Amino acid sequence: MPEHEPLILTPTARLARTLAREVAAVRVARGERAWVSPRILSFPAWLASVRGDYFLSTDDPRVPIDPQQALHLWQSLIDRDVFVGEPRVAELALRAWRLIHEYQLPPPERWPALYLSEDSGRFQDWAARYQTLCARQNLVDDWSFYAELPQLLRDRRMAVTGTVELAGFDLPLTPLQQSIVDAIASGGAEVRTRSDAGQQHARHSAPDQVAAFADPDDELAAAARWARARLEADPGARLAVVVADLSARLGLVDGAFRRVFDPPGFALEQPGPEPWHVSLGLPLARWPLVSDALAVLALDERGIDQPAAGRVLRSPFLSGYEPAGGPRDRALARLTRDAAYRVTVYELQRLLEREGANDLAAALGAWQQYRRQHAGPAWPSEWAARFQQELNQLGFGRGRSLDSREFQVLRRWHELLESFGALDVVCDGPMAHPTALRQLTERAGNAVFRESDPGAPVEVLGVEEALGSRFDALWITTLDSDSWPGAVRRDPLIPAALQRDVPRATSDGCLARARLELDGLLAAAPEVRTSFSRGSDEDAREASALLQECTVIEASAPELPETAPQTYVADDVQAPPLIDSGARGGVGVLRQQSECPFRAFAERRLGARELKPPRPGLNPGQRGTLIHQALEQFWTGLPDQAALNALSVAALEERIGAAVAAALTQLTERYRLLLTDTGRRLEQRRSERVLQRWIHLEQRRASFAVVDHERDVDIVLGGLILRGKIDRIDRLADGRTLLIDYKTGQTAKASWKPEPRMGDPQLPAYAVALDEPPSAIAFARIRPEALAFDGLADGDVGTNGITDLAAARHAFKDIDDWSELMTSWREHIEALAGDFRAGRAAVDPRRGACTYCHLHALCRIEERAPFVAYADDPEPGTGPAAAPEGDDV
Amino acid sequence: MSDVDARRGAVDPTRSVIVQAPAGSGKTTLLVERYLGLLAVAEAPEEILAITFTRKAAAEMRQRILRFLDPGFRTDAAHEQGALGKARAVAERVAAWGLRENPQRLLIRTIDSFNHYLARTMPVASQLGPVPTPADNTQALYRRAARRVLTLADGSDPMAEHLQRLLDWRDHRAQDIENLLAALLGKRDQWLRALGVSLPQRERLEAVLAAVVDHQLESSAEQVDAVLQSNACNPWELVELLRYAARTLAAKGRESAILAYLDGDALPQADAGDLPRWRALAELLLTGKDEVRKQVTVGQGFPPQTAEKARMQAVLEALAGDRALAGALAKARRLPEPRYGDEEWAVLDSLIQVLTRTATELEVVFASAGQTDFNGLAAAALRGLGDADNGYTDLGLYLDRRIRHILVDEFQDTNWGQLHLLEKLTAGWEGEIPPGQLALWEDEGPDAAVAERAEGRPRTLFLVGDPMQSIYRFREAEVGLFMRSRDQGVGPLMLDDRRLRTNFRARAEIVDWVNTRLGPIFPDREDVAAGAVAYAASEPGRPGGGAVEVHAYPSDTAEADAVARLIAEALAEHAGNADFRAAVIVRARSHLAHILPALARHGVAYRALQLDPLASRPVVQDLIALTRAILQPADTTALLALLRAPVCGLTLEALWKLAGDGRGLMDSDALQRLAGDDGERAARVFGALADAGNGWRRRPLRDLVEGAWQRLGGPACCTHPATDLQDAAAYLTALDQADADGLLDDWNDFEERLAVQFTAGDPPGGGAKLEILTMHGAKGLEWDLVVLPGLNRTPGGGDADLLHWLPFIAPDGDEQVLFAPLRAAEEQHNPPLIKLIRDEQRARDTFEDQRLLYVATTRARERLVLSACLDPNRDEIRPDTGTLLADLWPTTGADFVAALQQTAPDAAAAAVGARVDQQLRRVAAGWQPPRGERFAWRASMPPRETARALEFNWAGAQARRTGTVLHRLLEQVGRFGIEGLDAEQQRRLIERIPRLLRAQGTRPDQLADASAVVRDAFAATLTSDSGRWVLSNAHRDAACERPISGLVDGELVNAIVDRTFVDADGVRWIIDYKSGHHAGADLAGFLAQERERYQGQLALYRRLFEQLEGGRVKTALYLPRHARLEIVE
Ligand code: SF4
C-alpha cells in the first residue's frame, strides 16, 4: 500500500466523503479513470480502525465492545437498580461516559463527595459497577480504549507513521483528540493541518443583512427557491443550506425541496432525481420498511388488534401486495366495519379469503405455526435468526419491488439484526421474546439511516456537518436568538463544577462556541445568506444578537396560489328518482330522510357507509343485539304474561340466565375475542340483572300475550317497499295489539310527534302500514338507570309509561284521537318515503342531526351553514360531548 | 398607600412581595422593573428566575428587558422611568455577562418549560430519565395505559378484583371505564396529589367529608342565629316548640324528621352528628319547596287550637318570607351523612386502586414511547426537588448558579402543584444555610459563602397577579392560593402585601362603571376555601371621555344586526385613526353564530382569533377525506367526499351514476359510467389517488396527502386562501405528528387527536380593525372599543364526569380533597354527596363568572358595549340562570330592561332566515391545476449500487463472522508476507482467534467450534501451496485491502481488494477471499457456483485495475477453508 499517501482526518464522516468525491472529481477532470483511493477518514472512523488493528496485532487479552454492546451492559446494571423502569437512562450514562473521556474529565471514582448531586452520585455508582463488570468479563468499550490511546502511542505500542493531515477542523479538537494528535506527533509522524489553496476567498466578516421569515417553513421554502435559482444560473455550483435544528425538522426538508425542485413529483407524478441531499437521517425505525418489519414481529399469535392487523394488510413489503383497492384493502374495510377490536389469526384468515387475499391468509397461518414453535427464550443471535424467519414466512421484502432507497434501508436493517445478534457477547444467557423484541425495537429507534449521497449539488446540513466544508454559496437559516447561541447543555450525570471547560456546558462556553461556529460557517463560502424565522405568535423570535450590525429585512409573505375559476351549480338538491321501489336497508331510511334528506341519499344510494374502527369491549350496538336476542330467547315458548307469572322465582332466574347465556354464545361465536372470560361473566351478570328488573316490570303490566318476536315485515309506504323487523308484538287483554321496540339507548316519545320531520318515524311507520293496526306503540327502554316503557296508546293499556293519547301532553296535546294520529303519521311518513323515492336530497339537517353524522365532508355543511353543525361548544378545556348510547340493531 | 409607594415597595430587591395589580395597572412594567433591579444585586442572571403564564408572555418579557438594556433605548413614558434607571445602573454588569448577545441567560420561562428544564437537569433524581420535549397531546398514550390496566381484569393480578368490582358497578361498560381512566390520566396531577393529601383510607376520607359538612353547617348555624336575632325570635322558644312537636308526633305514631327532637335540648350545632336535628328544624320551618311555612298543622305536630300552635304561628309570622333562613336551612337539610355506604366505599376504594395503578402503567407507557406530558414533567420536577423529610435538593449541584430570586406573573391562576414547586424552590430561604452547601460556594470565588452570609445577600420571591382576573379554574387554577400566600406566605417566607389601584388603561367612565356595577356583585367577603374574591376598586388614571352602553334586543338576529351596525359606524367614525381597534368578545364560539354573518352583511372585515376546531374547516375536511382515501382505499365515503369537493364537484346525479346506485364505486369500470366533463373531473381524483397508492409507504403520509391535494388543485380552490392555507398547514403538521406518534394505525386515536386541534384564526394583516375572540383569549389585551354581545347565552357543555372530587383549602391553609363515590349504573340521579360537590363546584363557577365579566369589561379603553338578548314577552323579564347576564342582573338588570324597551320593534325585523345554501361550488370545466416545472438534473458521478440479497440469513451472518476473522488474519500475514511469519508469530495469531471471534459477537458456547473452523482454515492456508503463493512477499506491488476507485460506466466505484500483486510474469492478480465451505460431494459444482456468483464483482475490479495501470490482469477467488485458489475468467 502506498503509505506515503497522507492520512487525512476530518471531523465528520460527511466531510470525509465529500473530500473523497472532490478527489474523484479532480481525477476525472484530469482524464483518469481509476486511481488508488485516497486515505480520508473521519476521526471517529479512524479511531475505530486503529482499535481494530490494535486488537488484531497485539496480545491484549481484552475484547473490544461497540456502543450497542456497552449500552446493553449499562442497561443491565441500571435495570437491576431500583429505577422507574426506564432503560433509557442507560443512554444518558453512555453519553456521560463518553463526555468524560472526550473531555478528559476526572473519572467518576475521583469525584469529591461534595460535588455529588443525586444524579451524579448515582452515576458514580453505576460507573464503578460498569467497570467491575467490564473487568470481570475482560471487555473494553471504545471510549475507555481511546482514552488509553495517547499512552499506547507514546509507548510505541501502537504506531502511526507517515503524514497525518487534519482537514476541516473549524472547531477546536476535543481534549482527547488533541492528546491523540500530540501523541502521534511525538511518535514521529508528521501532523499537519490542511489549508487548501483557493479557499482564501473565504471571508470572516459578519453579513450585513439577515432575512426574517414568518415561519420556518417559509424560510426553508425560500432557501430551496434560492438554491434552484442559483443552480439554474450556474449548474455547476455547490450549494448548502444550513438548518440549526435539522434533526427536529428532518421530515419536512425533503418535501420542502421537492416542492420547489420537482413540483410534478411533489404532486405525486413519478418523481425525478433529487438534486438535494439531507445530511441527517431519520431513525431506522421510522422508515416504513423497518417500521412494518417491527410491526410484523410485534404481532401476537394469540390475537391481533385491529391497528396491528391494518398494518399487515396495508404493508406493501409483504409478498402478494397489490396496488390500492385490491383484496387486502377490501378485507381491511370489512375488518374495520364488521370485526371486533381483537381478532384471532383464524378470523383474519377467513376474512382475507373471503375477499380473495388467499396468499396472505396462508402466510399468516404459516407464520402463526412458526411463532408457536419458536417462542421460548433464546440468545440474541438466535432471535435474530427467528425474527428473520418470521418475516420470511410472511414474504417480507417480496412485495412491491423495492426502490433504491428501500434497498438501502433493507441493508441497514440486516446490519441491525446482525449487530443485535452480537449482543450474545454481553448477555448472561437466553432472552425472553418480549425482551428481545423490545431491545431490537429500541435499537432500531436509535440507529439512524441516511441515504447515500448521489453527489447532489445542494446539501442541507446541520451546523456540525456544514463546518469545515467549502461551497460556492451557503444559506444559514435559523439564526434566531434562541438557537444562536443555543441553550446550555450540561450533562446531568456529571457534577456541574467539573464541566466548566466543556463548551456547551456553560453559558459563556455556548456563546464562544456559537461565535466559532458562525465564523466557520461564514467562511465556508464566498456567498453567504442568513435568515431566521419569527416563529409563532406564541413564541416570537428575534434575530440572533451575534449578528450585531445586521439589518433585518422582512421577507414578504409567500404568494397565495392563483385562484381557480369556479362555477356554481344552483340548488343541486335533486338526484335521479329511484328506479324500482325497493329502498336499500329497510325502514331506517325514513328516519334518515327525516334527519337529513342528503344523508338518506348518500348512505342509501351512494353507499356512503361509515367506516369507523371498533374499540375494545362491547359497543352499544352489540349490547343492544345481546339484549334483543336474550329477550327473544326468553319469550320463546312463553306465550303470555300468565305463563310468565306462573314461573317460580327460581325458574324465572334460570330462564333469564339461560337466555342471556345463549345470546352471549351467539355473540362470542361471531366475535371470538370480543369478550374475555371475565368479560363474559360480567356481561352475563349485568344482563341478567337488567333483564330481571325488566321482567319484573312486565309482570306488573295488565295482562298480555306475546304474539310475535323479531317479526320480519315488508311494508309499503309512499310507493316504497321497506323491509323491517318489529321487535315484539303484544296482544292486550282487549284483543288489540301493542308494538314494542327494544331500546338500550335513550328514547322519547316526543320523537313521534306527527310533523314533516319526525324524530323517529319507525314505530309509527309500522303502526300505519300493518294490516292490523295496533292500538299502542311503545319503546321498551332497557337502560339500567332508566328502565321503563315509553309509549302511546289509544286508551289506557294498563302499563306504566304507555300513556293514553287523550291524556298525553306536549307533543300530542292537540291531537284528538288515535285515528287522527294515525292519519297524520301516515301523511308525514308517506311524504318522507315519497321524498326519498323522488331523489330529494337537500342538505337540510334537523336540529342536532349533524352532531353524530359522519358525512360532513361529503355534504359540506360547514361551507353551507357554518354554525348548524355544532352544538354549543363547551367552555375551553372540557372535552367533547359524549356520543349517545347507540341505537339497537 | 399610594400607587407610587406601592410600586416602590414592590420593586425593592431586598424584600419578598406579593402585588395585587388590577386590570390596567401597569403590571408588566412593574415586573420588568423588578427584574432589572434584581440584576443589580445578582451575581449572575441565572440567579433570577421569572415564571410567566404563557410562552408569549415569556417572550415579551424577555424582549422588554432586552429593550431596556439596549444602551440606545429612550422612553418618555413616566411609568417606565424607574425601569430605565435600573437598566442604566446595571449596564456594565450586563456587558460583562454578555447578556445581550446571549439572552438565553435570562431565565424567563413558563411553568411548564421550567419544569421541563428541571426534569432535564436531574433525570435521575426526578426519576424520569432522558426527557424529550413534552408532547402537547398524549391522549393516545393515556388510552393505551388505561387499556393495559383493563386487561388485568382477567388474570391473577391483584387488580383483577378491583377492576371487576368497578366494571360491575358501572354495568360492565368497559368502554366508559376506559374513557374515564384515560380522561383522568390527563388530570392525574390533581388526584394523585389529592390521594397523597388524604391517604385513601376510609376514615381519613370520611373525616374530610365530616369537616366539609361541619363547615357547611357552621355557615347555616351562623345564618340561623343571625336571622333569629334580627327577628327577635328566642331560640329556646323554638327548641321547646320542636320538642313539643316531636312528642306530639311520637304520640300519634307519625313519621317525621321532627321526631329527632324528642330529646333535643338546643338548636342544632355545626356538627355533622346534628344533621337529624337540622332536618327536624328545616321540616318544622320550611315547606317542601324550601319556603318558610305560613302555618303549621298536625302534620308538623301542632294539633289545632293548642297554645303551642299559636306560639308557633307567632314564630312563623316573625320569620315570614325570610330568604336567608330558608336558604340556610334548605342547604343544611340536603347535606349528606358524612360517611360512605359500605358498597360505595368498596367501589371508591377499587377505583382509587385502579387509578393509581393506571398512573403507574402510564409511566411505563411513557417510558417505552420516550414521551411524557406536562403533568409528568411537573411531577418529576417536584420529585427531583426533594421534600422536607428527605431533604431538599441543592440546585447548585446541578446548575451553574443557585436560584436566588423568583418572580411569578399571573399568580392568581396558580395551582397547588405550582405552589408546591415554589415552596420547594424557596425552601430554607429564610433559615440558616444548610451546612452541606457551604463548601460549594468555594467555586464561586473565595469565601463566597462566608461573604454571602456576612452581606446577607437576599433571596426574594415576587408574586404578582390579580385575583379578580383568575379565570382558569378549568385548569385547576385555585384563586384562593393568592389570598393564602398573601396572608400566610409561601413556605416559611412572608411576603409584603402591595396593592395597586390606578387603572391607566380605561377612561374614567369605564373604570367607574366597573366599580359600581361589578363591584357589588362580587362577594362581600373573600373566602379562601371557596375561591371567592372580594372586589378591589380601581381609580381612573385617565380622564373622562369614554362611554359604557347597555343594549338589549328581542332576538339573536336583531342583536347581531345591531351589533354589526354599531361596529360599522364606529369604524367609520374612526376611519381616520389608523390605530383604532375594536373587538367583539364572546364567552363561547357558538355565540357568534349570528354575528359573523351580520358583520359580513354590513361589510365589516374582521380577524377571528377564536379557536375553531380544526376539523370543522371545509378545507381540512377535504384533507381528512384525502387522508382516509389514502389510508383506507376502500373507504367509499372518503372517495365520495373528494368527488364532491370543489376540486372535482360532481353533481348528485353524476355521483349516483358513478356509484352505480349504491352498488359501489370501487369496481374497475366505475369511471366508464361517466361521460364528458363529469368523467374528466372524476378521472382527476382517481388518478391522483392511484399515484398516491404508488407512493404509499415510500413518502411520508403528509407528503402524499399534500401532494395529492396539490395535484387536484386544492390550494387554488380555497374560498379564503390565506386562512384556508394556514389551516391546511396546521392539519398537515398535526397529521405528520400523529403519524410519527403512530396514531394513524387507529383512526379513533387520530380523531381524538384532531378533536383537540384548533385553528389559529385569521392570519394577521389584511387591515381588519376588528378582532373577534373569546373572553379567555382576550385576557391581557386591550382595545378602544369592546363589544360584549350575547351576555344572555349559557356557556353550554356539561361535564359527564364519573368521578367527582373537590379540592379546597382548609382553614389551616392546607389542601384538602373531598372524594365522592362513583354513581352506580342503576342509579338515575346523583347521590347527595355528589350533589354536594357539584353544588360547591357550581358556586365556584359563579364566582369565576364574575371574574370573567371583570376581565371582559376591563379590556376597553374608550368605549364598552354590553349587549344581550331578552324575551320581551315574558311576564317578568329576567335572564336564565348560569349566564353572565344573570350575574350582572342585580346591578344592571334595570338598564337592560330599559334598553329593551327602547329598542324599536322593527329592529327585530332585520332577521334573516337561516336557510342552508344548496349550491354546488366547483372548478370550471376543463381547468387544470398548475403543474410547475421540474429542475433538470442528473448526478454526474452517481455511486454504483451493489445488488444485495433480499433475505437476511443468520447462518450467513455466522459465516461472515468467521470470514471476517479469517480475512483479518490473512491481511495480517499478507502485510509482511508469509515468508516473514515465524512459528511464534503464527502461534500468537492463532491464539487470538477466540478473542477476535468474540469481538465479532460470537457467543461463549459457540466459540470453540467457530475457533476451530478459523484455525483449521488458517492453518490449511498457511500450509497449502496456493495459500503460501497468494500470501508470498515475493510478488511485486503486493497489497492487502487495497482501496481503489474509478469511474465505471459513468458510475463512481470505490472498491477494496483483499489481495493483489503482480506475479513474476507481470500479471496483475486480483484475489478475493471467500470463506465459504462445502462439506458434501460435488465440490466442483460448489466451486463453479462460487465463481459464478462473484464473477461480476471481480470483473469490476478487473476493469478498475485495467483503467489504473493497463497490463494483463487475472482475477481469482481464494477459499481458505478449502485452501483453493479459483481463477475466475
Ligand atoms: S352532516 Fe348534517 S347536513 Fe351533512 S349529511 Fe349529515 S346530517 Fe346532513
Side-chain angles (χ1 to χ4, degrees), chain A residues 254-510:
Chain A
D254 234 19
F257 275 77
R258 194 185 312 280
R259 196 179 289 126
V260 169
F261 277 90
D262 185 6
F266 184 79
L268 303 184
E269 287 182 28
Q270 190 63 37
E274 299 169 9
W276 68 91
H277 182 257
V278 188
S279 71
L280 295 180
L282 288 171
L284 195 53
R286 288 201 43 199
W287 290 87
L289 186 117
V290 174
S291 151
D292 279 10
L294 290 170
V296 163
L297 293 179
L299 289 178
D300 180 349
E301 78 279 9
R302 292 158 304 181
I304 299 181
D305 291 347
Q306 287 237 358
R311 285 292 288 276
V312 173
L313 264 49
R314 285 288 280 144
S315 177
F317 307 111
L318 303 184
S319 64
Y321 174 77
E322 285 181 35
R328 290 185 195 179
D329 290 336
R330 290 198 305 271
L332 178 59
R334 185 175 288 281
L335 181 77
T336 310
R337 207 162 36 219
D338 295 341
Y341 182 77
R342 194 169 166 80
V343 295
T344 60
V345 172
Y346 179 80
E347 282 175 306
L348 191 55
Q349 285 176 292
R350 294 295 84 78
L351 209 113
L352 282 161
E353 283 163 3
R354 235 176 113 169
E355 296 294 345
N358 298 317
D359 45 357
L360 185 55
L364 273 169
W367 163 80
Q368 188 184 31
Q369 193 89 46
Y370 181 87
R371 165 68 72 81
R372 281 186 182 148
Q373 287 159 2
H374 298 85
W379 287 90
S381 60
E382 290 169 333
W383 276 118
R386 287 180 184 180
F387 289 153
Q388 189 56 38
Q389 262 308 311
E390 286 190 34
L391 292 173
N392 288 347
Q393 299 287 358
L394 287 167
F396 183 79
R398 294 193 301 270
R400 184 175 67 191
S401 62
L402 301 181
D403 65 16
S404 121
R405 181 175 301 172
E406 287 163 344
F407 259 115
Q408 292 180 36
V409 175
L410 186 65
R411 186 182 318 162
R412 192 78 182 74
W413 163 247
H414 287 165
E415 284 166 18
L416 183 81
L417 275 180
E418 190 156 346
S419 82
F420 179 76
L423 291 182
D424 283 0
V425 177
V426 287
C427 263
D428 292 342
M431 275 181 187
H433 180 246
T435 318
L437 191 58
R438 180 168 51 77
Q439 294 236 10
L440 181 70
T441 310
E442 267 170 32
R443 282 170 166 73
N446 291 338
V448 160
F449 167 73
R450 192 187 36 73
E451 230 179 312
S452 65
D453 181 0
V458 185
E459 290 191 79
V460 185
L461 305 161
V463 175
E464 281 191 18
E465 293 84 46
L467 287 170
S469 292
R470 296 294 174 261
F471 304 96
D472 294 320
L474 176 77
W475 181 319
I476 313 172
T477 67
T478 341
L479 273 169
D480 58 71
S481 57
D482 280 14
S483 314
W484 295 84
V488 171
R489 280 192 307 227
R490 217 174 280 110
D491 192 302
L493 302 185
I494 304 174
L498 297 178
Q499 297 183 61
R500 297 266 150 98
D501 297 325
V502 178
R504 285 275 160 79
T506 62
S507 45
D508 289 339
C510 278

Side-chain angles (χ1 to χ4, degrees), chain A residues 56 119 262 292 314 482 676, chain B residues 104 154 398 697 934 992:
Chain A
L56 180 67
D119 285 55
D262 185 6
D292 279 10
R314 285 288 280 144
D482 280 14
T676 60
Chain B
Q104 296 271 359
D154 246 283
Y398 287 96
R697 310 251 337 116
R934 178 173 288 169
R992 280 175 210 152

